[in-house]
Amino acid sequence: MTIQQISSFAAGDWVAPGEGSREIASAVTGEVIAAAGNNALDVQGMLDHARNVGGPALRKMTFHERAKMLKTLSLHLGKHKQALYDLSFNTGATQSDHMIDIDGGIGTMFVFASKGRREMPDGHVYLDGEVEQLSRNGTFLGQHICTPLQGVAIHINAFNFPVWGMLEKLAPTLLAGVPAIVKPATNSCYVTELCVRIMLESGILPAGALQLVSGGLGDMLDRLTMQDVVSFTGSADTALRLRSNPAILENSVRFVAEQDSLNASILGPDAEPGTPEFDLFIKEVQREMTTKAGQKCTAIRRIIAPEPQVQAVIEALSARLAKTVIGDPRLETTRMGALVSNAQKRDVLEKAAIIGQEAERVFGNPSDFTVDGADADKGAFLPPMLFHCANPDAAQRVHDTEAFGPVSTIMGYSDIDHAIKLANKGQGSLVASVITHDPNVARQVVLGAGAYHGRLYFNDRASMKESTGHGSPLPHLVHGGPGRAGGGEEMGGVRGVKHYMQRTAIQGSPDILSAIGNKWVPGATEIEGPSHPFTRRYHDLSIGETIHTGSRTVTMEDIEHFAHFTGDTFYAHMDQAAAERNPFFPGRVAHGYLLLSFAAGLFVEPNEGPVLANTGLDGLRFMKPVEAGDAIKVRLTVKNKTKRNEDYGEVRWHVTLTNQHDEQVAEYELLTMVAY
Ligand code: NAP
């Protein structure tokens, strides 16, 4: 068998393994299939290339351009999935494991692409939150902004998800405008290398945006500066070692850590045998124990069930686990493949022995189990193993020993406070799940356990058909957790992108803030356009372009007509005495919606033109009541513009309604689609 040489990609060149390379064995056969690593890798050259070539090229692009790049990249990867599947079987992963790693990774990149387009500007500065009013007259304001770090992101990944692990970090990094050097775990780096090759050969990425280290990093971490970020996924021991690096400490280099954690799943007190929740619980636990042969950072390590149900859970779970076909991951009938290596298998057995000091093994015998289509002695196969801990309060090792394989421990609880206490004994986890149909139980768990877990997953008969699974981190939601889980956070939509940007508080006048954010701020200069803005196309409108309308007097007939026409005869509009008793109104007042309609009547240009549709209002506030006899007028300003597709873009208008005393009566943002 030829041994595949797994290269690194450094400063634009592929570098084959050299001195110091390590052999990599197939998880299924134990045979050496690849080699990776090269002590002579020019790590300083890689850092320079990222900082001087990749970073500037990415920062030149807008958030939308980078989001589009991610979309093209994920579509391209989607066309090459089969090659990744074929290779990844060697890691012990089954086809359904590939769906999580390979399809899940591509899907994650896709979500970031779409969030980048919808939630970030088509510009270079991300506005974080709203304008802060810092002065009485509004001439001095504050605004938080984010801009990309000017260094490089070093991504160090665990072996279990060679594709997802890379893409879930790479997508937010590139979207932020920061180049990455990816270092996968050596055991499964051949899959990551293929994925990187596919991305690089597509030509979609600018030079220097992505480099790869297959094998060790050398002294790269010693060379990091305050503009760099390390995003690490792996064990707590390695994280501690790496985050203690003197250069990282001295330069306050951001270090995002995703570590192992002793995730728990709680069976609610209401979820007795015979309920849909009990069956759901058994299904979820079995799935989490066997997916990726239990090598998942989010896998359920501790099963927490009401004491009277413990035996029933052991029986139902054992019956389900007994049906798990273990074997060559390429076989369609296989439900659980191999662990990544024989070293990993030995490690799991050692950790299981430690757990065995405090708990009794009630299912799964590592010396007696069947493996389909592969040699159990050569490949890294193990059966699922279930332990029962009879005294979880006195126990410690079951709460702090992560056997990174198909191993889980069940323990009983007396009441929900006790269940919370046991879940929190893990000292911080990525996710805890609660299978309950009782909202009070869910609330109690949130109050008692929220601070200890990065994600709380509730599931019951109402959500089970569409739920995404205890163990699946989603790009929309934060992945990470406190304490033992590393104290880091990844993904969570735009939150994840911000890990690669600097947040800066900007202070200045409305004109300064408008120019920085490319978004008009009240108080900034108003621009007079050559004609009504509704007659001009998207690209012809300038930020700050403003019209002031004439005024319209609101009459009592208008109010009554509107009330009867719409059916909104609320007393504040119809009954003088009742309105006067209301603390908000001087007497009968105009409907807020009447004012909005009159405002539209004042500012629209009625003829067919480039404004295609009104798609909504944001931030509507009614600030002062309008009575019959008051006269309202409108100021309409182009606030900002966002391209939507090939034909049109969104124009957001700042709208202010004032009365005859120039007092503001209403304010909102109007959204329209305008043709290019
Ligand atoms: P690991 O041994 O800690 O290795 C993690 C990564 O660190 C690998 O890429 C490894 O590279 C690298 N590394 C080790 N020493 C290094 C050094 N001195 N300098 C630079 N890099 C170094 O973890 P693993 O065995 O791959 O993964 C299993 C662990 O990861 C489990 O504990 C699991 O819970 C955790 N995990 C957590 C998450 C999460 O999101 N929280 C996800 C998946 C896995 P080499 O392979 O080349 O040594």
Side-chain angles (χ1 to χ4, degrees), residues 22 156-161 164 168 183-187 215-218 221 232-239 241-242 257-261 295-298 301 344 402 404 430 479-480 485 490:
R22 254 169 60 189
I156 302 173
N157 289 321
F159 67 78
N160 55 341
F161 289 116
W164 177 85
E168 61 98 13
K183 186 252 173 289
T186 304
N187 272 334
L217 273 184
L221 300 185
F232 170 84
T233 298
S235 61
D237 290 347
T238 313
R241 196 150 21 97
L242 300 190
E258 297 294 331
Q259 297 170 185
D260 48 69
S261 76
Q295 302 166 111
K296 253 170 74 187
C297 53
T298 50
R301 303 288 174 212
Q344 185 62 25
E402 185 203 40
F404 201 58
L430 296 167
H479 173 58
E490 291 184 323

Side-chain angles (χ1 to χ4, degrees), residues 354-655:
I354 294 172
I355 292 169
Q357 294 164 9
E358 292 176 344
E360 177 199 358
R361 182 156 48 78
V362 290
F363 183 86
N365 183 350
S367 347
D368 181 16
F369 67 104
T370 313
V371 174
D372 280 4
D375 186 338
D377 295 329
K378 293 194 172 140
F381 294 96
L382 276 180
M385 286 177 266
L386 180 64
F387 287 81
H388 172 222
C389 177
N391 190 352
D393 294 308
Q396 191 46 49
R397 305 319 306 269
V398 298
H399 301 293
D400 70 12
T401 307
E402 185 203 40
F404 201 58
V407 180
S408 199
T409 305
I410 181 165
M411 52 198 81
Y413 71 80
S414 52
D415 58 20
I416 199 66
D417 284 337
H418 187 207
I420 291 167
K421 198 171 144 209
L422 292 176
N424 293 354
K425 266 193 114 175
Q427 291 301 306
S429 88
L430 296 167
V431 52
S433 55
V434 189
I435 308 301
T436 179
H437 193 46
D438 183 344
N440 286 325
V441 169
R443 226 181 97 74
Q444 275 188 64
V445 173
V446 166
L447 294 176
Y452 282 73
H453 308 276
R455 180 161 60 89
L456 287 175
Y457 171 95
F458 296 98
N459 205 356
D460 66 358
R461 66 194 73 179
S463 54
M464 64 186 187
K465 283 213 175 71
E466 292 193 306
S467 58
T468 47
H470 160 107
S472 299
L474 298 174
H476 320 70
L477 300 180
V478 159
H479 173 58
R484 173 84 195 228
E489 252 189 24
E490 291 184 323
M491 304 199 289
V494 173
R495 288 175 193 85
V497 184
K498 290 186 199 168
H499 296 311
Y500 301 95
M501 297 197 278
Q502 176 61 39
R503 182 173 18 241
T504 308
I506 300 291
Q507 290 172 274
S509 71
D511 275 337
I512 297 283
L513 261 54
S514 296
I516 290 169
N518 204 25
K519 191 173 189 179
W520 186 80
V521 170
T525 304
E526 297 173 9
I527 299 170
E528 199 178 324
S531 56
H532 192 288
F534 279 24
T535 62
R536 300 205 332 284
R537 299 187 163 269
Y538 179 90
H539 292 293
D540 300 328
L541 292 170
S542 312
I543 307 276
E545 194 172 324
T546 300
I547 54 167
H548 289 269
T549 69
S551 68
R552 171 168 186 161
T553 302
V554 180
T555 66
M556 192 54 84
E557 290 71 46
D558 291 332
I559 296 171
E560 294 200 340
H561 178 68
F562 190 80
H564 294 302
F565 178 50
T566 61
D568 179 355
T569 51
F570 187 61
Y571 71 87
H573 315 303
M574 306 305 286
D575 180 337
Q576 181 68 18
E580 278 174 15
R581 286 194 291 275
N582 182 307
F584 287 92
F585 304 121
R588 291 176 70 181
V589 293
H591 304 67
Y593 302 123
L594 170 62
L595 301 178
L596 294 187
S597 305
F598 278 175
L602 288 166
F603 65 64
V604 292
E605 209 298 322
N607 296 315
E608 185 178 3
V611 176
L612 305 174
N614 168 0
T615 54
L617 296 182
D618 273 351
L620 173 62
R621 289 279 172 284
F622 294 117
M623 294 131 123
K624 206 172 167 53
V626 172
E627 295 176 87
D630 286 345
I632 58 160
K633 56 187 182 303
V634 183
R635 179 185 67 189
L636 179 78
T637 305
V638 178
K639 180 160 186 161
N640 77 321
K641 307 194 297 178
T642 313
K643 285 188 211 134
R644 279 280 177 247
N645 61 22
E646 297 307 310
D647 302 318
Y648 53 82
E650 180 189 272
V651 177
R652 187 176 280 261
W653 310 77
H654 190 98
V655 187

